[in-house]
Amino acid sequence: MELEQIWEKAVALLADEISAVSFNSWIKPIKAVSMTDAKVVLCVPFGVNRNMIMTKYFSLIESCLEMVTSKKRTIEVIVSEDMEEENRDPLQKESTLNPRYNFDNFIKGKSNEMAYVAALAVAETDSPSKAYNPLFLYGGSGLGKTHMLHAIGNYYLENYPKRKVLYTTSEKFTYELVTAIREKTNQEFRNKYRKVDLLLIDDVQFFAGRELAQEELFHTFNALYDSDKQIVLTSDRLPTEIPQIEERIRTRFSSGLSVDVQPPEYETRMAILKSKLQAEYLQVDDDIVAFIAENVKSNVRELEGAVKRIVLYAGIKRTSLITMDLVAEAIADLMKNQQKRRITPQVIISEVEKYYMLPSGSLVSKKRSNDVVLPRQVAMYICREILDDPSFPKIGESFKRDHSTAMHGVGKVKKELDENSDLRSVIDEIITNIKRD
Ligand code: ADP
Ligand code: MG
């Protein structure tokens, strides 16, 4: 039987199990994409569809599929928005400025004021001051760094339409470089990056460990800087905190102005929510907006997520009356995310991997290369320092090792800490990350 037929039959079974409204909202939009012996991949249009399926319909769909095919398979749900993003040619991906991101729709507040002022100053001038070059914007995810980067480019082009602006990400830069080397088009690559008036590079933390790209970036940077062209960079952390990056690049990154973007405080959250709700033509009472601002706190992307959900729920319920109940229902998932997660060895391991930009699973793997040994010991040390039950056998077990290895690892870090004060700040930062989420 073809997958299409199988899915049709499963859908017919599902229709009997759930209400028509839920069926239309959540089951109908699903497309079956592929099937193997072990799993069926389903595709849905939005993240909220996926959440709904994962929380409410997951096992029901699995059993219906099993009934049709007489074989137990798990399902995987992917979101088509993400799929488009991934399938797009990486060279095309974000190669241009996004006009949706501008200064007019960027809400200022205490948390981003410094960054905003610096970004606007850079965008307004065609003869950059060395004091602002490069401008280095850093801060957590979803706080508006990419937005500001595009806003700088858009604003600058409005004032200086003949100038050349290039927006790129560290990943795209690396990808293009590798392609250029393979296809022997290095010169074109160089011209493209060294003949611009304003270079915007997003997420430079991902240059970590990419030596070839760093080498090229170094020369690109110097060429632009020496001819007084503005460079703006973003990162999730300060240059000094990016691991595996050459010292000379770190120095260049830090040589201008570094400004951080903080998570929005209450007033800014209120202002952002009001502006985004208004953009959706929704009128919502202030006390309801306040309820959202009190419950969704971590970043702007989540605030936008809340607004999108409210729009969607209002659509499903065919109402334009936004009540407290509707909002509470719409953002229930988001509110759950805000609750503090319990700190387990796995949480620590995954934060340490993230910090050192190692693939997930590296620390519990058998690998003993230099790039994982210290991070693994650091993770063991943090387990010892912050877990409720930090016995060595427990720690060892979490890393698929015995207690003596855990003891040795923790001891190593302790010793290193006596001599190396940078390591203390690294560990403190990781602990902050662990406690923040
Ligand atoms: P980052 O690059 O820091 O991870 P983004 O720039 O991608 O964050 O921002 C996430 C989303 O939040 C974007 O849709 C952006 O337009 C929006 N956003 C962030 N900060 C603001 C702000 N101050 N005002 C309005 N929208 C914002
Ligand atoms: Mg970004």
Side-chain angles (χ1 to χ4, degrees):
M1 209 176 349
E2 296 276 319
L3 175 59
E4 205 175 311
Q5 279 174 302
I6 294 173
W7 181 241
E8 247 172 51
K9 292 200 171 147
V11 166
L13 291 174
L14 285 162
D16 293 335
E17 299 294 324
I18 43 192
S19 77
V21 178
S22 301
F23 179 85
N24 283 331
S25 316
W26 310 119
I27 304 299
K28 240 185 161 171
I30 304 176
K31 288 201 178 72
V33 188
S34 68
M35 182 170 77
T36 62
D37 272 352
K39 82 178 175 197
V40 177
V41 178
L42 304 173
C43 177
V44 294
F46 305 107
V48 359
N49 297 60
R50 182 172 185 280
N51 291 345
M52 205 62 179
I53 293 167
M54 299 314 271
T55 50
K56 279 185 91 169
Y57 302 116
F58 194 84
S59 46
L60 186 63
I61 296 177
E62 275 187 354
S63 358
C64 290
L65 279 166
E66 188 182 345
M67 268 191 259
V68 178
T69 61
S70 316
K71 185 165 169 37
K72 195 163 174 55
R73 288 185 178 84
T74 179
I75 58 172
E76 184 185 327
V77 186
I78 57 175
V79 178
S80 60
E81 274 181 339
D82 301 345
M83 212 166 56
E84 275 166 28
E85 191 65 24
E86 275 169 24
N87 289 344
R88 233 185 292 158
D89 179 355
L91 278 177
Q92 286 302 308
K93 192 165 155 187
E94 301 185 84
S95 68
T96 44
L97 291 170
N98 185 340
R100 274 198 315 135
Y101 293 148
N102 50 56
F103 282 121
D104 294 335
N105 62 11
F106 188 85
I107 308 290
K108 279 170 293 199
K110 264 202 215 95
S111 52
N112 59 31
E113 199 166 18
M114 286 284 289
Y116 178 90
V117 171
L120 194 60
V122 158
E124 272 173 339
T125 174
D126 194 24
S127 45
S129 138
K130 288 268 192 251
Y132 283 61
N133 207 6
L135 173 61
F136 192 96
L137 302 172
Y138 68 98
S141 145
L143 299 181
K145 300 183 298 298
T146 297
H147 188 133
M148 270 191 269
L149 210 51
H150 284 274
I152 292 172
N154 287 322
Y155 193 94
Y156 177 79
L157 272 185
E158 249 174 60
N159 289 327
Y160 311 101
K162 297 226 171 70
R163 297 276 186 259
K164 275 214 187 85
V165 177
L166 191 57
Y167 168 90
T168 192
T169 66
S170 52
E171 284 164 308
K172 187 171 169 242
F173 184 92
T174 308
Y175 179 85
E176 285 187 3
L177 174 67
V178 172
T179 312
I181 293 171
R182 196 180 53 225
E183 293 173 359
K184 303 201 168 46
T185 51
N186 306 34
Q187 202 51 48
E188 283 88 336
F189 176 87
R190 272 183 200 152
N191 288 344
K192 174 175 169 185
Y193 279 97
R194 296 184 195 178
K195 294 204 168 142
V196 297
D197 301 290
L198 171 62
L199 179 63
L200 312 162
I201 310 185
D202 214 352
D203 290 324
V204 297
Q205 73 272 16
F206 295 126
F207 277 120
R210 293 172 162 168
E211 284 158 28
L212 208 63
Q214 287 182 29
E215 170 80 25
E216 184 64 32
L217 175 72
F218 179 71
H219 297 296
T220 306
F221 189 103
N222 291 345
L224 291 172
Y225 186 84
D226 291 341
S227 47
D228 279 325
K229 304 300 183 192
Q230 177 75 47
I231 302 157
V232 188
L233 310 162
T234 75
S235 166
D236 67 349
R237 60 191 78 174
L238 270 170
T240 48
E241 287 162 358
I242 306 176
Q244 298 176 52
I245 199 149
E246 284 176 51
E247 202 45 46
R248 56 179 185 169
I249 297 204
R250 203 167 279 157
T251 321
R252 295 290 180 296
F253 283 178
S254 325
S255 65
L257 177 69
S258 303
V259 203
D260 68 334
V261 194
Q262 291 289 329
E265 27 24 284
Y266 180 76
E267 283 76 24
T268 312
R269 295 203 296 277
M270 283 295 282
I272 290 173
L273 282 168
K274 283 186 182 168
S275 127
K276 309 250 165 196
L277 286 164
Q278 202 183 13
E280 299 288 345
Y281 302 102
L282 290 175
Q283 286 205 346
V284 184
D285 286 347
D286 273 4
D287 55 332
I288 300 184
V289 181
F291 171 78
I292 310 171
E294 273 154 22
N295 285 290
V296 180
K297 295 182 182 161
S298 46
N299 64 50
V300 183
R301 192 171 290 130
E302 290 216 325
L303 291 174
E304 283 189 334
V307 172
K308 278 189 203 155
R309 276 157 206 250
I310 292 165
V311 172
L312 192 87
Y313 268 67
I316 292 168
K317 294 191 186 314
R318 296 184 192 291
T319 172
S320 54
L321 187 69
I322 307 298
T323 62
M324 193 70 104
D325 283 351
L326 183 139
V327 168
E329 201 185 333
I331 68 170
D333 284 0
L334 281 174
M335 282 164 58
K336 246 188 278 158
N337 288 344
Q338 308 286 319
Q339 279 163 12
K340 280 220 162 5
R341 64 173 163 178
R342 213 167 60 85
I343 297 175
T344 61
Q346 285 67 38
V347 170
I348 294 173
I349 288 170
S350 112
E351 280 301 338
V352 173
E353 285 171 343
K354 239 199 269 168
Y355 183 86
Y356 286 100
M357 293 167 189
L358 295 165
S360 159
S362 308
L363 297 190
V364 295
S365 73
K366 291 218 169 69
K367 271 180 94 178
R368 300 197 48 202
S369 48
N370 278 338
D371 58 327
V372 295
V373 169
L374 177 70
R376 183 180 293 132
Q377 292 172 341
V378 164
M380 289 173 169
Y381 178 86
I382 295 178
C383 284
R384 184 81 180 164
E385 193 170 290
I386 68 174
L387 284 181
D388 289 335
D389 171 18
S391 70
F392 285 121
K394 262 261 161 67
I395 297 175
E397 199 182 306
S398 312
F399 291 81
K400 300 206 184 115
R401 280 162 171 82
D402 61 15
H403 73 279
S404 63
T405 310
M407 252 167 109
H408 173 76
V410 172
K412 264 282 204 301
V413 174
K414 270 210 183 114
K415 217 165 119 215
E416 180 79 24
L417 279 173
D418 288 338
E419 290 152 20
N420 177 350
S421 63
D422 286 351
L423 187 61
R424 182 71 248 174
S425 52
V426 166
I427 290 178
D428 286 341
E429 198 196 330
I430 299 174
I431 294 178
T432 313
N433 292 343
I434 292 167
K435 295 193 168 155
R436 179 169 58 211
D437 298 306

